[in-house]
Amino acid sequence: MIFALAVRVTDTTAEATHLVVPQVLPLDAGPVPEPSTEAGPRSSRSRERADDDVVTREYRDGDALRRVHWRVTARHGELMVRQDEPQAGPHSRLIVDTDRDGYGDIERRGLRPGPPSGPSFEWAVRMAASSAAHLVERGYAVDLTTSTPQTAQPPLADAPGISAALAPVLGELALLRAAAADGTPPPLEAHPSVPLIAIASQPRGTTIDWMLAQRAPGTVAVLLLVAPHGTADAPEVLALADEFTRAGWQVARVDPSVPVDAAWRRLIDGQPAPAEATAILRGAAP
């Protein structure tokens, strides 16, 4: 009996695109209270089910590959894509200043690959990601708002441990860019029942007015001010923090070297949210 062995060497090139999402750190409870709806607060079990709170269907020609739900695909043995249902329930607003002129330590000389960035802006993105995860875990749907236009159709962050409610926000934050502002940010309506978390560094005057206008009277609103290294106690930073504090916001001033969870604890250790704000969020009369 004769055996023959054939060897074929093929040189191929393959490309793969990976979405790198910002680091998410767990944040302690507070200062944003638990949400309430007409049916009462969402239970921890209902929040646990958010990981599978997604509708899927078979893949069809023309569907974007970013919509493929890989865990469901593995279970069914065929490509399945997301068909997310609209998010219901209480909303929160996450505000990030993305004006390039609002970050004094951004590298502008083009020495680094990719879009302009710097320690303060990168910290702001990490803080936003952790804040979004914190809000989703507490039962809120998160509306991400930026001071400059961003990617029109950001991808979903689809990975183990990322819930369906958090995936769109992390996808947006993964591609967040600091850009030159083109005029004043578009106005947004303030809602008494929507808590706010804002993150900025050195916002210009029109951005400050835009941020302040998003807080309705009695609403919980917090601001994380990440000042360039060594300037957290500078007079202009103190004056900005005081302006927001007098407007009813809780403010923490930090250096970009401070971990985001430690910055969040500074908010908790500061003044508590106004009693009227907590009452409104819990459905009580102000």
Side-chain angles (χ1 to χ4, degrees):
M1 186 177 292
I2 300 176
F3 293 93
L5 177 65
V7 178
R8 179 180 179 180
V9 178
T10 303
D11 187 9
T12 61
T13 301
E15 294 184 1
T17 301
H18 298 278
L19 182 69
V20 179
V21 299
Q23 181 187 28
V24 173
L25 292 179
L27 304 180
D28 294 337
V32 179
E34 291 280 355
S36 293
T37 64
E38 293 180 357
R42 288 179 60 179
S43 67
S44 59
R45 182 167 181 81
S46 69
R47 292 195 299 270
E48 290 170 3
R49 292 205 309 267
D51 287 347
D52 295 322
D53 187 18
V54 61
V55 177
T56 57
R57 59 169 172 78
E58 296 83 1
Y59 176 85
R60 301 169 188 162
D61 289 341
D63 285 334
L65 287 179
R66 65 181 176 83
R67 305 290 297 177
V68 174
H69 194 297
W70 296 109
R71 279 173 286 176
V72 176
T73 293
R75 288 201 300 266
H76 286 260
E78 61 177 324
L79 283 177
M80 302 291 290
V81 297
R82 294 176 180 271
Q83 186 169 299
D84 295 328
E85 295 180 333
Q87 289 293 324
H91 280 250
S92 61
R93 186 172 293 173
L94 179 60
I95 307 169
V96 183
D97 182 17
T98 52
D99 181 1
R100 187 171 58 199
D101 291 338
Y103 295 87
D105 54 4
I106 276 187
E107 176 59 66
R108 302 170 186 271
R109 294 172 295 175
L111 299 180
R112 296 173 48 166
S117 189
S120 295
F121 184 73
E122 292 171 2
W123 189 96
V125 174
R126 293 196 302 272
M127 185 75 244
S130 297
S131 299
H134 177 74
L135 291 167
V136 167
E137 206 285 325
R138 294 178 75 77
Y140 289 100
V142 179
D143 299 325
L144 176 62
T145 302
T146 59
S147 57
T148 60
Q150 298 293 319
T151 304
Q153 292 183 327
L156 293 171
D158 186 11
I162 298 178
S163 69
L166 183 59
V169 185
L170 286 187
E172 289 185 71
L173 290 173
L175 300 184
L176 206 66
R177 299 291 181 261
D182 183 13
T184 303
L188 289 170
E189 184 180 356
H191 294 281
S193 61
V194 175
L196 308 175
I197 297 178
I199 306 160
S201 179
Q202 300 167 307
R204 57 195 178 107
T206 53
T207 303
I208 293 171
D209 294 340
W210 171 75
M211 293 169 66
L212 288 172
Q214 296 187 48
R215 178 185 181 267
T219 301
V220 170
V222 300
L223 171 65
L224 284 304
L225 274 179
V226 52
H229 182 68
T231 64
D233 294 323
E236 60 272 17
V237 179
L238 293 173
L240 179 58
D242 182 64
E243 181 176 0
F244 274 83
T245 300
R246 286 186 283 106
W249 294 60
Q250 295 174 259
V251 183
R253 296 173 290 104
V254 298
D255 186 277
S257 63
V258 175
V260 298
D261 53 347
W264 186 258
R265 283 195 294 272
R266 292 188 185 182
L267 284 171
I268 300 173
D269 294 338
Q271 293 297 320
E276 57 167 347
T278 303
I280 288 176
L281 279 171
R282 294 185 181 277

